[in-house]
Amino acid sequence: MKYYIVEKHYIGPNPHDVEHIDFNRFEVTTKLPTHESKGLVLQGWLGTYDNVDLYAHGLYDSLAAAEWAVKEVFLSGAFRRDPDDNLPSDVLAVYRPGRYTPITDDALIQWLEYKIEVSADDDDTELERQADTMIYELQQEGRTAYRAQMIDCLEFLRDYAREERDD
């Protein structure tokens, strides 16, 4: 099996929105990096799709060699590997030079329980308002969550509060 490094940069509108601010990344993948008119490209620009510039950074014989290249060559040791949650099947690792570390759902729920009181009576509008505030606070601690993830966790806590109330 061969491994490839593909760099992705968001170049679209609103680059400072939460869903875009920590988008840039290097992916170690088994999918051939191709340009729509040039075919296979091992080094260089692959095109722009959905406001994302893609660049190929080589062919590697092992996953370890590709990951070493990301960490030592492209990110100069300043990297973080994303959790393996929800990666496409052809993407084996994602490294971000970004400023925020993603948080898992379980860790986010624990963090939220410590930070705020979610009421059984909170409606969807209130949860959305809380989500925006809590994303900002989470980023102040150097971590990030997508808005949908934050809302899902707040809904989980609201549902839990409703179960406790009804018992």
Side-chain angles (χ1 to χ4, degrees), residues 2-166:
K2 299 295 182 185
Y3 304 88
Y4 309 92
I5 296 173
V6 174
E7 181 179 0
K8 295 183 174 185
H9 281 279
Y10 179 76
I11 59 166
N14 306 315
H16 299 293
D17 284 358
V18 172
E19 64 267 22
H20 303 130
I21 196 135
D22 202 30
F23 178 87
N24 298 347
R25 63 186 176 264
F26 290 85
E27 294 181 355
V28 177
T29 180
T30 56
K31 184 178 178 185
L32 292 170
T34 58
H35 184 277
E36 112 186 343
S37 64
K38 298 177 192 172
L40 176 65
V41 176
L42 294 178
Q43 292 289 341
W45 186 65
L46 296 168
T48 301
Y49 307 95
D50 296 328
N51 296 319
V52 177
D53 262 347
L54 303 172
Y55 299 89
H57 290 289
L59 164 69
Y60 301 87
D61 291 327
S62 70
L63 177 58
E67 289 188 291
W68 180 88
V70 170
K71 291 185 267 188
E72 300 300 324
V73 176
F74 302 112
L75 297 177
S76 302
F79 71 96
R80 64 178 165 78
R81 183 175 176 170
D82 278 0
D84 293 334
D85 309 352
N86 302 320
L87 294 178
S89 61
D90 60 340
V91 176
L92 304 175
V94 173
Y95 289 88
R96 294 181 194 264
R99 61 188 204 198
Y100 300 123
T101 303
I103 190 168
T104 64
D105 287 351
D106 290 340
L108 180 57
I109 289 169
Q110 289 177 356
W111 182 83
L112 286 168
E113 286 177 320
Y114 174 75
K115 289 289 193 177
I116 64 170
E117 181 75 31
V118 177
S119 167
D121 299 323
D122 288 343
D123 62 14
D124 290 343
T125 304
E126 176 61 18
L127 293 184
E128 289 174 11
R129 187 193 64 72
Q130 288 176 340
D132 294 335
T133 302
M134 298 317 296
I135 287 170
Y136 175 79
E137 286 191 32
L138 189 61
Q139 288 176 345
Q140 298 309 301
E141 296 180 17
R143 297 183 285 177
T144 191
Y146 288 105
R147 190 168 193 271
Q149 177 189 15
M150 182 67 75
I151 290 171
D152 286 348
C153 290
L154 288 167
E155 287 173 346
F156 173 83
L157 291 172
R158 178 186 61 192
D159 293 346
Y160 181 76
R162 286 177 177 171
E163 287 175 16
E164 290 292 309
R165 179 188 64 192
D166 294 341

